[in-house]
């Protein structure tokens, strides 16, 4: 071999060996443990921090080459998310998934009828990837939300719209709650603007309060518009709403699961057996159906209702209501025999 050919060969090896090693390293599949590997890339993490997290997890055997590939791709943004890697995967596939944001969905679910304390409990118990450092202890949550302008009358109760809220690791809990609050504001204002005429409600907040009561009555969606009509008719007549869920809310932690005669007389502005009109704040987070029921109630003059399992019976007068109660008691007594 001539000297010139040797020089050319050395040059080719010098150039091609790194390129070949780069290609093998980036595309050679790595077999992960059977259970897979989960890597959270938090919101606000730098690209260097993201690569370091992937390397520590064992997903990237050659983090420097991965960094080079990312640079050659033009430094595209790596999306925050919870990434689960299973089976065989190469570094190029990892890079593609991070750029495309192909992560596992994370959601905070707020259920219709939940109270603020239930939402806080869900955040603390079931959302390990939410940043909860800005969320105070349960007794201080309402105050903190009020400081952020979330809620009304010093209370955030009722103001978080029930839905599923997507987030990525590192998202602050309060930012998700703010989204739920903005959503409730939007839905409430939209429904209030298109409300039925002649409702005995002065503003959207009163509609929110009544919707929370309808929600907590626990009736099926098909019955909620009729139940709302009963409560609205009572407001028109100046009658107490006489809703058990408001008494339960007034009792708080003292409620044991069955209302006693003594508890029905608890001294509280939330006790709608003792006080006519609406309680001072909502008692839960009403869903869309309950809001719609209050602002578009059934066409009814009924003032009473009674539930027998999934069946609801309505009455225009107290005498009719007593008959319904007697029928219910007879039915219950026959079922026990």
């Amino acid at each position: 071999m001539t000297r010139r050919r040797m020089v050319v060969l050395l040059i080719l090896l010098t150039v091609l060996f790194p390129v070949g090693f780069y290609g093998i390293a980036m595309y050679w599949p790595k077999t992960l443990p059977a259970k897979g590997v989960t890597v959270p890339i938090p919101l606000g993490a730098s690209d260097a921090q993201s690569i370091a997290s992937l390397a520590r997890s064992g997903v990237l055997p050659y983090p420097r080459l991965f960094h080079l590939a990312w640079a050659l791709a033009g430094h595209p943004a790596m999306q925050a998310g919870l990434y689960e890697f299973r089976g065989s995967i190469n570094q190029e596939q990892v890079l593609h998934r991070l750029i495309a944001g192909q992560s596992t969905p994370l959601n905070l679910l707020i259920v219709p009828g939940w109270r603020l304390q239930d939402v806080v409990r869900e955040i603390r118990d079931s959302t390990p990837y939410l940043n909860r450092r800005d969320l105070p202890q349960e007794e201080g949550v309402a105050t903190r939300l009020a400081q952020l302008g979330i809620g009304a009358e010093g209370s955030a109760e009722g103001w978080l719209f029930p839905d599923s809220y997507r987030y990525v690791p590192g998202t602050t809990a309060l930012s998700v709650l703010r989204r739920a609050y903005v959503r409730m504001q939007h839905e409430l204002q939209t429904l209030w603007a298109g409300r039925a005429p002649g409702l005995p409600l002065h503003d959207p907040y009163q509609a929110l309060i009544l919707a929370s009561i309808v929600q907590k009555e626990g009736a099926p969606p098909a019955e909620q518009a009729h139940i709302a009509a009963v409560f609205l008719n009572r407001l028109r007549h100046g009658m107490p709403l006489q809703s058990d869920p408001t008494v339960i809310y007034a009792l708080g932690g003292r409620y044991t699961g069955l209302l006693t005669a003594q508890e029905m007389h608890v001294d509280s502005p939330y006790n709608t057996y003792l006080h006519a009109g609406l309680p001072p704040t909502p008692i839960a987070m009403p869903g869309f159906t309950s809001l719609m029921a209050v602002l578009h109630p059934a066409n009814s003059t009924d003032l009473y209702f009674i539930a027998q399992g999934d069946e609801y019976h309505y009455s225009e007068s107290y005498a009719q209501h007593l008959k319904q109660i007697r029928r219910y008691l007879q039915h219950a007594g026959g079922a026990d025999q």
Side-chain angles (χ1 to χ4, degrees):
M1 181 180 295
T2 65
R3 181 182 179 86
R4 183 176 179 181
R5 288 182 177 179
M6 287 188 64
V7 171
V8 171
L9 180 60
L10 288 172
I11 293 173
L12 287 173
L13 288 174
T14 303
V15 173
L16 294 179
F17 179 77
V19 172
F21 177 75
Y22 169 85
I24 292 173
M26 286 299 296
Y27 290 91
W28 190 267
K30 176 180 174 60
T31 301
L32 299 172
K35 64 179 181 179
V37 176
T38 300
V39 185
I41 302 299
L43 193 68
S46 67
D47 295 305
Q49 290 172 328
S50 300
I51 293 172
S53 296
L54 292 162
R56 284 193 300 271
S57 70
V59 175
L60 299 181
Y62 306 106
R64 291 185 179 180
L65 282 180
F66 184 88
H67 190 281
L68 175 61
W70 168 70
L72 292 174
H75 300 88
M78 297 187 205
Q79 306 296 321
L82 182 67
Y83 292 89
E84 297 183 5
F85 302 99
R86 301 181 184 279
S88 295
I89 190 167
N90 61 50
Q91 296 199 141
E92 192 279 333
Q93 291 172 324
V94 173
L95 179 61
H96 173 76
R97 286 188 58 185
L98 263 74
I99 294 173
Q102 296 175 350
S103 60
T104 302
L106 295 171
N107 297 280
L108 170 63
L109 178 65
I110 300 178
V111 177
W114 272 7
R115 293 173 56 182
L116 180 60
Q117 64 187 29
D118 298 315
V119 178
V120 174
R121 191 176 300 117
E122 176 71 8
I123 291 173
R124 296 200 183 283
D125 296 345
S126 305
T127 58
Y129 296 104
L130 262 183
N131 182 348
R132 301 189 290 269
R133 288 178 297 182
D134 60 350
L135 192 69
Q137 295 300 315
E138 186 172 311
E139 58 273 11
V141 171
T143 301
R144 179 65 178 135
L145 293 179
Q147 291 172 347
L148 295 174
I150 297 177
E153 304 298 327
S155 173
E157 196 73 87
W159 278 106
L160 306 178
F161 189 80
D163 204 346
S164 181
Y165 294 90
R166 182 84 176 264
Y167 66 92
V168 296
T171 303
T172 64
L174 286 181
S175 70
V176 179
L177 296 184
R178 179 173 287 282
R179 284 164 52 198
Y181 170 59
V182 171
R183 174 76 183 281
M184 180 62 85
Q185 283 184 308
H186 172 75
E187 298 291 349
L188 182 58
Q189 291 295 338
T190 300
L191 290 174
W192 177 259
R195 67 191 181 279
L199 298 179
L201 302 170
H202 301 305
D203 52 47
Y205 191 52
Q206 288 193 338
L208 185 68
I209 294 173
L210 185 55
S212 74
I213 297 174
V214 171
Q215 181 72 64
K216 291 301 289 183
E217 284 289 341
E223 299 291 340
Q224 290 186 4
H226 204 156
I227 290 174
V230 170
F231 286 138
L232 288 165
N233 289 336
R234 282 177 162 266
L235 290 175
R236 289 188 180 96
H237 289 276
M239 299 171 62
L241 296 182
Q242 296 185 325
S243 171
D244 288 0
T246 64
V247 180
I248 294 171
Y249 187 85
L251 290 169
R254 291 173 290 168
Y255 177 61
T256 59
L258 182 65
L259 286 174
T260 65
Q262 182 179 4
E263 288 173 337
M264 294 296 289
H265 290 85
V266 60
D267 185 15
S268 168
Y270 288 93
N271 188 339
T272 56
Y273 281 87
L274 299 182
H275 303 281
L278 296 167
T281 73
I283 61 171
M285 313 296 172
F288 182 85
T289 303
S290 297
L291 290 166
M292 178 67 80
V294 166
L295 292 168
H296 294 275
N299 184 15
S300 169
T301 57
D302 292 322
L303 293 170
Y304 303 89
F305 69 88
I306 184 173
Q308 291 180 280
D310 292 333
E311 294 184 7
Y312 282 74
H313 304 279
Y314 302 88
S315 306
E316 292 184 354
S317 69
Y318 186 61
Q320 291 176 339
H321 182 57
L322 289 177
K323 289 182 181 179
Q324 293 287 5
I325 292 176
R326 285 194 292 270
R327 288 175 186 166
Y328 169 76
L329 293 175
Q330 290 171 359
H331 180 271
D336 291 337
Q337 294 176 353

